Amino acid sequence: MSRDSTTMAGDNSISWGDAGRSMNSGNSLAFMEIRLRSIGKAIDEVKTKRVRLEQALRHGHVPESEYASSLLKLIVEGNTLSKEKEELAERVKLLRNKGLSQG
């Protein structure tokens, strides 16, 4: 009995894997568009954190050394996300144009 259930589970996972491969591919347009939006939200969150950090410094809740360290981390994170967003936006643009020219 356990052998049959293992075989069925194995067969299901293979068929699901084959069917979902194009949908879950890191190179699919839909996946990249979703990733692009999530990167945009992450950049907004970094900006929000930066504003909160500046407010905390103004109100004296954060020492200047901690502020400087945190600010540097946020700048690096923001720059990394911005660069990734630019690269991904270019790939999305190319895929969209390729799809329009083929369709």
Side-chain angles (χ1 to χ4, degrees), residues 52-90:
R52 289 182 187 151
L53 180 63
E54 290 170 5
Q55 289 175 344
L57 177 68
R58 268 188 259 128
H59 291 111
H61 300 295
V62 176
E64 285 191 32
S65 60
E66 185 181 330
Y67 168 79
S69 173
S70 297
L71 180 60
L72 181 59
K73 289 176 186 176
L74 290 173
I75 289 170
V76 169
E77 183 179 0
N79 288 344
T80 302
L81 288 169
S82 293
K83 183 177 179 181
E84 184 179 351
K85 183 179 179 184
E86 287 174 12
E87 291 170 358
L88 192 56
E90 185 63 30

Side-chain angles (χ1 to χ4, degrees), residues 1-2 4 6 8 13 15-17 24 26 28 30 33 38-39 43-44 50 55-56 61 70 86 90-91 96 99:
M1 182 88 169
S2 65
D4 291 336
T6 304
M8 288 192 308
S13 64
S15 65
W16 277 105
N24 293 328
S28 75
E33 288 174 333
S38 69
I39 291 172
I43 290 171
D44 290 343
R50 199 166 164 178
Q55 289 175 344
H61 300 295
S70 297
E86 287 174 12
E90 185 63 30
R91 288 174 57 197
R96 284 182 183 159

